[in-house]
Amino acid sequence: MIALLIVVSTLLLLLNVKLIMSRKLMIEQESDRLEAAMAEFITAVEQENDALYDKLMDRLEQTEAKMAQLEKMEDPAQERKSAVRSADEPPVETSRRHKVRELVKQGFSAAHIAKLLELPIGEAEVAVQLEKKRQIR
């Protein structure tokens, strides 16, 4: 009788161990599946982010070009100055983006750049983030 109880207990214990092992395997498989799905999601988000970044940079360049045209229309003396400039003298880039780029390289914070360039803080933060993203590429 005791031998039968020992055999039954051993069988139950072995079944329990097998059940635990199969659950562990299922959890590992589910974990791997979730990890793969997260990797795909992150890749898709990064691609979308890159596409949006490129669109934003294009839009920013277009806006800067329009602003430069408007500034030239407002200041006809500016055209005369550029015509007088010698051919061997390199043009001086005075765009806001160049200024932000230089200040970011020098380690200035977005708040400090906003103050220096008289920009709204949100615009300066976006410009700094875009510049840092550009530098990473």
Side-chain angles (χ1 to χ4, degrees):
M1 183 72 149
I2 294 178
L4 183 61
L5 286 175
I6 292 174
V7 170
V8 171
S9 297
T10 306
L11 286 175
L12 287 175
L13 182 63
L14 289 174
L15 285 174
N16 204 7
V17 168
K18 185 177 179 182
L19 181 62
I20 290 172
M21 295 300 285
S22 67
R23 284 186 180 170
K24 181 180 178 187
L25 181 63
M26 284 177 30
I27 289 172
E28 287 174 355
Q29 289 172 343
E30 184 67 16
S31 176
D32 291 343
R33 189 188 66 77
L34 285 174
E35 194 172 309
M38 287 298 292
E40 287 179 31
F41 176 74
I42 289 170
T43 301
V45 168
E46 286 175 344
Q47 289 173 348
E48 184 179 346
N49 189 31
D50 288 342
L52 289 172
Y53 173 78
D54 292 340
K55 276 183 169 180
L56 182 60
M57 291 307 292
D58 290 342
R59 184 68 173 233
L60 185 61
E61 288 173 0
Q62 291 171 358
T63 302
E64 286 179 349
K66 286 179 184 178
M67 288 178 62
Q69 287 176 343
L70 290 173
E71 287 174 357
K72 283 183 180 181
M73 290 174 58
E74 289 177 3
D75 188 12
Q78 188 81 347
E79 288 180 24
R80 281 185 246 127
K81 287 180 185 176
S82 63
V84 173
R85 186 183 309 157
S86 66
D88 59 323
E89 182 181 329
V92 179
E93 185 177 346
T94 59
S95 72
R96 223 178 357 179
R97 197 164 88 207
H98 177 72
K99 291 176 185 174
V100 169
R101 184 177 298 139
E102 290 302 314
L103 292 172
V104 168
K105 285 180 185 176
Q106 294 174 16
F108 285 92
S109 68
H112 201 128
I113 291 172
K115 187 175 182 179
L116 288 172
L117 300 180
E118 298 176 355
L119 298 172
I121 184 70
E123 187 175 333
E125 287 173 346
V126 169
V128 167
Q129 289 173 356
L130 289 175
E131 182 56 31
K132 285 181 180 177
K133 173 95 173 169
R134 190 190 72 73
Q135 288 176 356
I136 290 172
R137 289 182 176 194

